[in-house]
Amino acid sequence: MIQFAVLGYGTVGSGVVEVFFRNRESLEKKAGVPLGLKYILDVREFPDSPYKDLFVKDFDTILNDASVGVVAEVIGGVEPALTFTKACLERGKSVVTSNKELVAQHGAELLAIARANNVNYLFEASVGGGIPIIRPLHSCLAANRIEEVIGILNGTTNFILTKMFREGMSFESALALAQRLGYAERDPAADVEGHDACRKICILASLAFGEHVYPHDVSAEGITKITSEDVAYAASCGCVIKLIGAARRGEGGKRMTAYVAPAFINRETQLGTIDDVFNGILVRGDATGDVVFYGKGAGKLPTASAVVSDMIACAKADGSSASMSWKPSQGGNVAPQGDHVTAMYLRCRAFETNALEEAVKIFGKVKALSRPDKPTNEAAFITPALTEREIDDVCGKLAAAGIDILGKIRVLADQ
């Protein structure tokens, strides 16, 4: 029998336990061996839980039990998750996790420790919740040279932006609704400031391009500055606004491009049609072309499903997966955000000059936008594709001409 242990009994941890016992019979058939869940680690008391006899408070109880072969780390955060994960791997126990922060910061290191001890470190649930993406990227698309990964990686922000578009809600009202429905935390900063999506794109970029990408190297901008005016201008040109995480392979020895930011996307494109709490991840390979993975990116049971699937994969594995890895790095492998080439939506206000005329003088050519009830001193337009450094320089010139920049959003034409 292969025994499992679960570290943490929060939303995901309780879901893991629920899915395991609900589907235990079918899981054992898939694994080909009897399975047991021996321990649940949590410092809290759960006297009314049907699994109350499984709870322990001392991690060493799990670490020192040789019968435990697979551990699910669903604590979250870096510590004590990092210490516990290292200890388990070094003791010859495979570890699976939903902990995107830990994988984004220490994935290369933990994968190396797993290989050195002939066990596995799997993290399907760390990106996309219940959407299969890590294993397909690693295995099913292995014949491809992955050129780009781009997607909607955060369901909370996608829900908020959808409400802003469909129902004309302000950002603040849509966020409050997301919190009431349980889609957003009381402190929503990780979602709305782009940190959650940043960790996810780092994991995907590391796996796709074979070298560790650190979150501190990736520019992350959230959705807190998006206004109803921006939404109206996007709609006027057939676009929606989505929070996008993207990573593109560097060519000719150049560093890769990676960022998280709001973007105008054509409503009819593959990512433009993804609404509400759903996520979509587009992988562009040199052989397959575009492949899109779609589904609920978070939630108790979808995420637990991915964790339990990794537990079964570890139970079936014969030693460590040598190919599930990427090289360590010292960082600095992502090009500066100023080098990124993009068209840009700008919303401006001027009191003593014509903002659109000034923009045409400086940019040469822009695509003017309109919206209902547009003030006479407001102008909105889409710039030609330039480096972000060049666009910032032009914005400085507009400011010097007495023009206020009220909104600034990237424009993606072909996603």
Side-chain angles (χ1 to χ4, degrees), residues 116-354:
N117 291 277
N118 199 34
V119 292
N120 288 289
Y121 182 58
L122 302 182
F123 41 89
E124 182 67 66
S126 67
V127 179
I131 305 172
I133 182 61
I134 300 297
R135 195 171 290 115
L137 195 57
H138 166 241
S139 300
C140 305
L141 298 173
N144 285 258
R145 173 184 164 92
I146 303 301
E147 303 295 344
E148 184 175 15
V149 182
I150 182 169
I152 298 165
L153 303 174
N154 184 273
T156 299
T157 53
N158 204 40
F159 175 84
I160 291 169
L161 291 170
T162 299
K163 288 298 179 182
M164 292 176 72
F165 266 82
R166 285 185 182 171
E167 300 178 26
M169 285 189 175
S170 67
F171 167 79
E172 292 78 12
S173 296
L175 171 58
L177 176 61
Q179 290 172 319
R180 288 198 300 273
L181 295 175
Y183 297 144
E185 300 290 339
R186 181 176 298 179
D187 179 1
D191 293 323
V192 300
E193 298 289 355
H195 305 311
D196 175 79
C198 182
R199 292 161 185 155
K200 292 173 180 176
I201 199 62
C202 286
I203 295 169
L204 293 173
S206 299
L207 186 59
F209 307 142
E211 183 178 4
H212 195 87
V213 178
Y214 288 98
H216 61 72
D217 282 331
V218 176
S219 172
E221 178 184 334
I223 65 168
T224 57
K225 297 178 182 178
I226 304 297
T227 67
S228 57
E229 291 85 359
D230 300 323
V231 169
Y233 281 120
S236 75
C237 61
C239 289
V240 290
I241 301 174
K242 300 292 184 183
L243 183 67
I244 293 295
R248 186 176 300 111
R249 182 185 293 275
E251 298 295 342
K254 294 182 179 180
R255 287 178 285 181
M256 74 180 78
T257 298
Y259 65 90
V260 171
F264 274 34
I265 300 179
N266 189 301
R267 181 64 185 175
E268 303 304 318
T269 56
Q270 296 174 98
L271 296 182
T273 59
I274 296 172
D275 289 331
D276 295 314
V277 295
F278 287 87
N279 286 190
I281 305 168
L282 184 152
V283 180
R284 184 163 290 157
D286 66 339
T288 59
D290 292 354
V291 180
V292 178
F293 299 84
Y294 168 83
K296 286 188 176 181
K300 176 178 178 176
L301 294 182
T303 305
S305 168
V307 173
V308 174
S309 294
D310 276 350
M311 292 163 67
I312 301 308
C314 287
K316 295 169 64 175
D318 182 18
S320 182
S321 170
S323 61
M324 176 60 87
S325 64
W326 55 76
K327 296 187 298 183
S329 79
Q330 298 301 311
N333 49 3
V334 177
Q337 188 66 19
D339 293 350
H340 178 223
V341 176
T342 183
M344 193 76 75
Y345 153 85
L346 295 176
R347 180 166 61 90
C348 306
R349 180 178 59 198
F351 293 99
E352 298 181 1
T353 186
N354 186 300

